[in-house]
């Protein structure tokens, strides 16, 4: 069992002078324990890892155990103190110098803390006075700025009210002109619906017949012509609608801006008259960090000015728009009539072409059916040839397998063995060639079947196309709105 407190830094025979460090070395108290050391062997405790080397400085010269060993043999066991108590005393006491230095440190810390506190009190008193004056000046500046803001809001309120009255009168005049244009535009929906129905039915064509032919081109042209006429009418109608919307939007913006100005006027006027002694003042923690502003004084004034300028501009555009609507209606009616006749002529030509293509496809389909029959016969003959060659391959491979069971040196690579190997390769190559030819024939058959299905599909496509063009489309193209209704008089 090792003894607690054993260390290699103990010097018993040669005590040293007290060092200048805060904690003394163990060797400074060695004289107090002279001739009191136990007779136990210390060799087992010299490498204890727990010794408090952090608090005790190791002596500069290594101690020797010779004097200790000589004296320890002369000490009677009955006169020794307990070992644990001796070692504990050795490691827990300080020197008088340590005690005086500790007191001196406390005095210095006390003086430093007191001086820092006095300086803080003087600086704090000066800071309170400075911040009080600064706060009063800041509040006075804020009050002045609020008063100027109230005056600015009052000026812009009067400007908005004047412009709002002018915009309401212009909006009412434009509404009457728009209604006449809407009636003329409604009459163009019938020919447009016919053209779109034809295009819709022709979209039901299948396969290759979904071609961009002359009929479709003329139908698209007809749709484009009608749409172009509608677009020109809608352009003016949209302009009228947009102008009305713009007028109302300008009116709405003026009304909204006026409402905002009135609300802001009340709020800023209230803020302008708030004082430290006013009722309703309270803490609102964190409100200074919430930046809900969306404008600056320049953009704020520009916003209202832009609203007034926009209202004036929309009023001038509304007067010019009313003069342009009447000249549009006659031109659009003539353009739609001319294109209607061109589409009917294209339908007649396309129906004749489709009927001719249908007859030719029927001829080709008969030829494909004959070729499919011949190819199927060829495939059957190839399969029979492959089946015949399989028997030869089985015999050759069986012979080779049996010859692998020959004992010892009898496993000779003789001419019979070589010929059997060559026979297997030759027969297998023949089978592979026939199988490749079979695959080619099957691919050809699949191609013929695919061609047959394609031709049959094409026949159905052509019949469907003829039905669509003759029955569906041409039956609808028998009437067209008259000119008076197209120009909006009825």
């Amino acid at each position: 069992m090792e003894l607690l407190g054993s260390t290699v830094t103990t010097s018993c025979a040669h005590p040293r002078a007290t060092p200048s460090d805060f904690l003394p070395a163990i060797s400074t108290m060695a004289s107090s324990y002279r001739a009191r050391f136990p007779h136990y062997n210390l060799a087992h405790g010299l490498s204890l890892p727990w010794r408090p080397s952090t608090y005790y400085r190791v002596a500069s010269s290594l101690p020797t155990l010779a004097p200790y060993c000589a004296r320890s043999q002369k000490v009677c066991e009955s006169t020794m103190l307990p070992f644990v108590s001796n070692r504990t005393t050795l490691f827990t006491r300080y020197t008088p110098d340590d005690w005086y230095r500790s007191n001196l440190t406390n005095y210095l810390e006390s003086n430093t803390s007191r001086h820092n506190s006095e300086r803080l009190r003087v600086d704090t008193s000066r800071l309170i006075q400075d911040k009080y004056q600064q706060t009063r000046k800041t509040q006075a500046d804020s009050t002045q700025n609020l008063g100027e803001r109230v005056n600015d809001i009052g000026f812009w309120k009067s400007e908005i009210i004047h412009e709002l009255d002018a915009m309401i009168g212009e909006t009412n005049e434009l509404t009457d002109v728009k209604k006449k244009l809407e009636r003329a535009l409604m009459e163009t929906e019938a020919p447009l619906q016919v053209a779109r129905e034809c295009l819709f039915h022709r979209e039901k064509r299948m396969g290759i017949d979904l071609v961009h032919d002359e009929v479709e081109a003329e139908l698209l042209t007809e749709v484009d012509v009608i749409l172009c006429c509608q677009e020109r009418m809608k352009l003016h109608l949209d302009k009228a609608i947009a102008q009305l919307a713009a007028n109302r939007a300008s009116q709405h913006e003026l009304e909204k801006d006026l409402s905002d100005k009135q609300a802001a006027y009340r709020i800023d006027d209230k803020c302008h008259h708030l004082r430290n002694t006013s009722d309703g003042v309270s803490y609102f923690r964190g409100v200074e960090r919430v930046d809900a502003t969306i404008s600056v004084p320049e953009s704020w004034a520009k916003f209202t000015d832009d609203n007034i300028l926009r209202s004036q501009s929309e009023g001038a555009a509304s007067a010019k728009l009313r003069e342009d609507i009447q000249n549009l209606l006659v031109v659009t009616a003539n353009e739609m009539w001319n294109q209607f006749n061109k589409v009917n002529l294209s339908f007649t030509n396309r129906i004749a072409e489709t009927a001719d293509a249908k007859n030719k496809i029927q001829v080709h389909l008969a030829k494909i059916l004959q070729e499919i029959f011949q190819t199927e016969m060829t495939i059957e003959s190839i399969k029979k040839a492959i089946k015949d060659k399989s028997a030869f391959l089985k015999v050759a491979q069986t012979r080779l397998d049996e010859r692998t069971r020959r004992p010892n040196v009898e496993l000779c690579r003789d001419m019979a063995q070589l010929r059997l190997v060559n026979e297997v390769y030759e027969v297998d190559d023949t089978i592979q060639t026939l199988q490749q030819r079979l695959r080619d024939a099957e691919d050809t058959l699949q191609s013929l079947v695919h061609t047959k299905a394609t031709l049959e599909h094409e026949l159905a496509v052509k019949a469907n196309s003829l039905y669509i063009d003759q029955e569906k489309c041409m039956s609808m193209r028998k009437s067209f709105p008259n000119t008076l209704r197209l120009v909006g008089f009825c």
Side-chain angles (χ1 to χ4, degrees), residues 363-391:
V363 174
H364 285 278
L365 180 60
K367 295 179 180 179
I368 289 295
L369 292 174
Q370 180 64 29
E371 187 63 29
I372 288 175
F373 174 76
Q374 297 295 334
T375 305
E376 289 175 346
M377 298 298 296
T378 303
I379 290 174
E380 291 299 327
S381 63
I382 295 174
K383 288 181 179 179
K384 183 177 182 304
I386 292 174
K387 184 177 180 181
D388 295 340
K389 299 299 182 295
S390 299

Side-chain angles (χ1 to χ4, degrees), residues 1-14:
M1 177 178 180
E2 294 187 3
L3 300 179
L4 299 175
S6 299
T7 179
V8 297
T9 61
T10 303
S11 178
C12 302
H14 302 285

Side-chain angles (χ1 to χ4, degrees), residues 151-182:
N151 293 334
D152 292 341
I153 295 174
F155 167 76
W156 285 111
K157 279 174 55 181
S158 62
E159 293 293 324
I160 293 174
I161 291 172
H162 179 269
E163 183 60 31
L164 184 61
D165 294 336
M167 176 53 63
I168 292 174
E170 180 62 30
T171 302
N172 295 330
E173 295 179 3
L174 182 60
T175 304
D176 297 334
V177 177
K178 180 181 73 71
K179 292 180 180 180
K180 182 179 179 181
L181 183 60
E182 287 176 344

Side-chain angles (χ1 to χ4, degrees), residues 119-295:
R119 184 167 60 253
L120 178 61
R121 287 189 290 104
V122 174
D123 293 343
T124 301
S125 177
R126 185 184 305 109
L127 178 64
I128 291 173
Q129 294 297 326
D130 293 343
K131 293 303 178 182
Y132 176 75
Q133 296 299 328
Q134 180 181 352
T135 303
R136 287 179 58 86
K137 183 178 182 300
T138 301
Q139 187 183 71
D141 293 342
S142 297
T143 302
Q144 181 181 356
N145 291 336
L146 286 171
E148 295 174 356
R149 181 66 172 178
V150 169
N151 293 334
D152 292 341
I153 295 174
F155 167 76
W156 285 111
K157 279 174 55 181
S158 62
E159 293 293 324
I160 293 174
I161 291 172
H162 179 269
E163 183 60 31
L164 184 61
D165 294 336
M167 176 53 63
I168 292 174
E170 180 62 30
T171 302
N172 295 330
E173 295 179 3
L174 182 60
T175 304
D176 297 334
V177 177
K178 180 181 73 71
K179 292 180 180 180
K180 182 179 179 181
L181 183 60
E182 287 176 344
R183 289 192 298 268
L185 180 61
M186 289 177 60
E187 294 299 328
T188 62
E189 290 298 327
L192 178 63
Q193 184 66 25
V194 170
R196 283 179 171 174
E197 283 291 331
C198 291
L199 287 173
F200 174 75
H201 287 305
R202 299 192 93 239
E203 285 296 324
K204 296 178 183 178
R205 292 175 298 168
M206 298 180 296
I208 194 61
D209 272 23
L210 280 170
V211 64
H212 185 66
D213 53 7
E214 183 182 358
V215 176
E216 184 172 353
E218 292 296 337
L219 281 171
L220 291 174
T221 302
E222 183 179 20
V223 172
D224 290 338
V225 168
I226 297 174
L227 289 177
C228 181
C229 295
Q230 287 185 343
E231 284 299 323
R232 282 180 287 176
M233 286 187 285
K234 285 181 179 180
L235 179 62
H236 290 79
L237 180 60
D238 290 341
K239 286 181 180 180
I241 295 173
Q243 191 63 56
L244 287 173
N247 291 350
R248 294 190 181 101
S250 298
Q251 178 181 341
H252 174 72
E253 290 297 327
L254 291 174
E255 291 173 348
K256 185 176 180 298
D257 197 3
L258 179 60
S259 177
D260 292 343
K261 291 290 188 295
Q262 291 171 347
Y265 186 88
R266 289 192 301 269
I267 293 172
D268 286 347
D269 187 64
K270 178 181 177 181
C271 293
H272 179 251
H273 291 91
L274 280 179
R275 298 295 182 269
N276 293 342
T277 57
S278 300
D279 296 334
V281 294
S282 179
Y283 289 108
F284 296 91
R285 299 295 184 185
V287 69
E288 69 279 358
R289 293 191 296 271
V290 178
D291 187 6
T293 60
I294 59 174
S295 64

Side-chain angles (χ1 to χ4, degrees), residues 392-426:
F392 293 97
L393 181 62
K394 290 178 182 179
V395 171
Q397 289 181 344
T398 302
R399 289 174 176 175
L400 284 174
D401 181 71
E402 289 296 330
R403 286 175 63 84
T404 59
R405 295 181 179 85
R406 291 175 295 172
N408 300 324
V409 73
E410 295 302 323
L411 287 168
C412 179
R413 190 176 179 83
D414 52 10
M415 288 301 297
Q417 179 76 14
L418 295 175
R419 186 58 190 142
L420 284 173
V421 172
N422 290 334
E423 182 183 359
V424 169
Y425 281 124
E426 289 176 1

Side-chain angles (χ1 to χ4, degrees), residues 56-124:
Y56 304 98
R57 182 175 61 86
V58 180
S60 60
S61 62
L62 297 175
T64 177
L65 297 177
Y68 159 73
C69 295
R71 286 197 301 276
S72 64
Q73 295 175 359
K74 299 175 184 180
V75 177
C76 178
E77 293 183 4
S78 62
T79 61
M80 289 192 299
L81 296 176
F83 172 72
V84 176
S85 177
N86 293 340
R87 299 304 295 172
T88 303
T89 304
L90 177 63
F91 284 111
T92 60
R93 286 188 175 181
Y94 297 97
T95 62
D97 290 342
D98 300 332
W99 184 81
Y100 284 114
R101 283 196 298 271
S102 178
N103 290 338
L104 181 59
T105 301
N106 292 334
Y107 303 152
L108 293 176
E109 290 180 355
S110 176
N111 290 333
T112 302
S113 298
R114 180 169 48 82
H115 289 310
N116 290 339
S117 178
E118 292 175 356
R119 184 167 60 253
L120 178 61
R121 287 189 290 104
V122 174
D123 293 343
T124 301

